[in-house]
Amino acid sequence: MKSSRQGSANAEGRRQRRFWPLAARIGVAVASLCLAVVSIWRIEAVSAPLQIERLTIGTTPVTLRRLPDAGPAPAVVIAHGFAGSRQLMAPFAVTLARAGYTTLSFDFPGHGRNPVPMTGDLRAEDGATAALLAALTEVIAAARGLPGTDGQVALLGHSMAADIIVRAAIAQPDLAATVAVSMFSPAVTATAPGNLLMIVGAWEAPLIEEALRVLRLSAGPEAGPGTRYGDPAQGTARMLVIAPSVEHVGVLYSGASLAAAQGWLDTVFGSDRLHRPDLRGPWVLALLASVVALGWPLARVLPRAQAPQMAQLARPWLAVLAPAIATPLILWPLPTDLLPVLVADYLAAHFALYGLLLGGILYAQGVWRPGWPGARVLAAGLGAGLFCILAPGLALDRYVANFWPHAGRVPVIAALALGTLLFTLAEEALIRAPAGPGSSERRRWVGAASKAAFVLSLIAAIVLDFQGLFFLIIILPVIVLFFLVYGLLGRWIHGRTRHPVAAGLALGAAFAWALGVTFPLAG
């Protein structure tokens, strides 16, 4: 009798252990979907009153926004920074369009969905700078003659584009105003461009110093942020606004940035339409968080596989540090212009060599001798890879930055995948290696240490070839973000499949895709 009661209790315990994890996953899935729906609704509601058109000027893709009932109004041409796209500038475009302006945001050559590669050296005035300036000039010319505009044009640009719009405004003095966000431009003088507003994030100390230097060229050595100097009616106005608590990307979503840009243009054009700016930043983060969170319950639909036999990693610090030290030193003297994508060719080589060195160490220590993974593992890797690309990609492409490749980028993504897959497969094997003989426990610190070592190895590569790899500095925060997000997804994938190859395949494909659509396509 006692045995019967004990058996019933054990069965009930097993049912409870199965029920609560399932209930938690269903709860997370429902909560994530609800948060995604609310986030999309809040973001889309701000743009709902606007008439939005997508057109092509020459070969340049352009998004036009305006109020459908607005009379003739000034046009504002909005330009993105390095490795950006017109989606990244949507907060400014929507805010100014709701204020009554006609806004035109576009993709520079080599960026976003623009199929024309960026040609020339970006650091040379007669190189890529001239090509980008030509593309901007073509959009400005089209903006002047657009139906529903009054012929007046202002410019707004971020980072790399801040220099380009400054040069355009100097070349065309009849442009009414220039709004330069996170600006660094050697072209600025004491008198040109006219009616210049500079917006800088509070966490961009070097750019704050640059903006103060420019401000004091015309306003004197005591000039400071928050005060307008000069006369907008005479085209001599200048001002610096420091957006609080934001950095190089956050400045684009800051309410202070958006309000300053609208206030500056309203002053120049004599407008007084009041409305709330497009404060989509928190809702974009909520949407992306909900999409990532969906990965936890959806991982349960992946097929399980037999866990591979893996030996103890005897010297984990050797596997963490040796590739990080050796990779930048080996690649230092080699060429970095093999792929038609700016600095991504070096990154692909860095991933590949790092993965080969790490994999060689694991193989030499007998940690894992990989064989054919089997159909279930490949199916799990394919399914997880599709989720890692499509789920964040849909949200990113609509609300943050271009995430879908045109035909010219497909071969680049394939080439990048050769490097990223070598890295992610080797790193997944490193992370999943047991801590001791016969132990299923893993060293929890290895994954974080490995990713930190990879980032530090990239920093070392930049130091060794600062001129050639300078633009990796701009992409480095994005790589750190990818590590955080995809590392979490990789943990869930492995938790279900029990095989490092499944997560390695999914994460390698996602890395290649993200890098292939982010880096500028160079001619």
Side-chain angles (χ1 to χ4, degrees):
M1 196 69 168
K2 181 178 179 181
S3 176
S4 176
R5 286 196 298 270
Q6 186 176 3
S8 298
N10 290 339
E12 179 62 24
R14 287 192 296 271
R15 284 194 293 270
Q16 292 287 341
R17 286 192 295 271
R18 287 194 299 266
F19 172 76
W20 289 114
L22 178 61
R25 291 178 187 275
I26 293 174
V28 169
V30 172
S32 298
L33 289 172
C34 289
L35 180 58
V37 170
V38 172
S39 301
I40 292 171
W41 169 65
R42 291 299 299 263
I43 298 170
E44 294 287 347
V46 181
S47 298
L50 300 177
Q51 176 185 341
I52 302 175
E53 301 176 37
R54 289 172 177 81
L55 52 140
T56 302
I57 297 174
T59 59
T60 302
V62 177
T63 298
L64 183 148
R65 295 176 174 90
R66 58 183 154 199
L67 290 170
D69 58 347
V76 183
V77 176
I78 299 174
H80 61 80
F82 178 82
S85 59
R86 60 201 142 133
Q87 292 97 317
L88 196 60
M89 306 302 293
F92 281 104
V94 171
T95 295
L96 296 176
R98 283 170 57 91
Y101 300 99
T102 296
T103 65
L104 298 90
S105 48
F106 67 98
D107 291 337
F108 272 121
H111 294 72
R113 289 190 173 88
N114 194 322
V116 177
M118 182 176 65
T119 56
D121 186 348
L122 191 57
R123 292 154 298 196
E125 292 189 20
D126 59 349
T129 297
L132 298 176
L133 181 58
L136 172 61
T137 301
E138 189 175 28
V139 177
I140 294 171
R144 290 182 186 275
L146 273 177
T149 62
D150 62 6
Q152 300 182 91
V153 178
L155 304 180
L156 186 151
H158 173 238
S159 191
M160 172 191 77
D163 176 55
I164 305 302
I165 65 167
V166 162
R167 294 175 186 275
I170 293 173
Q172 303 182 56
D174 60 332
L175 291 168
T178 303
V179 179
V181 185
S182 302
M183 182 193 76
F184 183 88
S185 177
V188 180
T189 71
T191 58
N195 289 338
L196 173 64
L197 171 66
M198 294 168 286
I199 303 174
V200 186
W203 298 344
E204 298 183 280
L207 295 182
I208 291 176
E209 292 301 316
E210 169 65 10
L212 285 171
R213 181 192 70 81
V214 169
L215 184 68
R216 289 165 182 169
L217 286 175
S218 56
E222 302 302 318
T227 301
R228 190 184 75 203
Y229 301 91
D231 183 2
Q234 299 297 320
T236 60
R238 281 194 178 174
M239 185 174 178
L240 166 61
V241 171
I242 300 177
S245 305
V246 291
E247 31 57 60
H248 199 63
V249 175
V251 69
L252 300 176
Y253 294 87
S254 166
S257 300
L258 301 172
Q262 186 202 332
W264 188 256
L265 296 180
D266 286 350
T267 299
V268 171
F269 292 115
S271 176
D272 60 357
R273 184 189 290 264
L274 299 176
H275 73 93
R276 293 181 61 191
D278 181 0
L279 301 177
R280 67 175 61 194
W283 293 110
V284 169
L285 291 176
L287 175 59
L288 294 175
S290 69
V291 168
V292 172
L294 270 176
W296 183 57
L298 289 180
R300 296 293 296 178
V301 307
L302 296 173
R304 292 187 74 89
Q306 183 177 355
Q309 293 295 322
M310 301 183 72
Q312 177 190 8
L313 180 61
R315 293 181 292 277
W317 280 112
L318 175 65
V320 169
L321 293 179
I325 295 171
T327 299
L329 294 175
I330 294 172
L331 293 179
W332 180 22
L334 300 181
T336 59
D337 55 355
L338 303 177
L339 292 176
V341 182
L342 197 62
V343 299
D345 42 12
Y346 175 82
L347 192 57
H350 199 99
F351 270 116
L353 181 57
Y354 201 108
L356 287 172
L357 294 173
L358 176 56
I361 292 172
L362 298 179
Y363 188 87
Q365 292 195 26
V367 173
W368 183 33
R369 301 297 172 87
W372 180 249
R376 294 176 69 85
V377 175
L378 294 177
L382 176 61
L386 288 174
F387 175 84
C388 291
I389 292 171
L390 295 177
L394 289 169
L396 287 169
D397 189 74
R398 184 160 181 85
Y399 300 120
V400 182
N402 178 69
F403 207 77
W404 302 119
H406 54 73
R409 288 186 179 269
V410 174
V412 173
I413 293 174
L416 286 168
L418 297 176
T420 57
L421 285 170
L422 286 170
F423 171 78
T424 54
L425 287 168
E427 200 205 27
E428 281 296 310
L430 169 67
I431 294 171
R432 310 307 168 192
S439 171
S440 61
E441 292 297 317
R442 300 185 298 274
R443 294 179 176 88
R444 302 296 182 183
W445 57 267
V446 171
S450 174
K451 291 175 174 60
F454 183 88
V455 172
L456 289 174
S457 75
L458 278 179
I459 294 174
I462 295 169
V463 172
L464 290 171
D465 184 11
F466 186 77
Q467 183 175 2
L469 300 178
F470 169 78
F471 291 106
L472 274 180
I473 297 174
I474 301 174
I475 302 299
L476 210 54
V478 179
I479 294 173
V480 173
L481 181 61
F482 286 163
F483 274 148
L484 293 174
V485 172
Y486 287 130
L488 187 60
L489 291 171
R491 181 179 178 182
W492 295 335
I493 295 166
H494 183 268
R496 172 62 180 175
T497 63
R498 303 184 298 180
H499 205 294
V501 168
L505 290 174
L507 302 187
F511 263 122
W513 186 287
L515 295 172
V517 299
T518 300
F519 283 93
L521 198 63

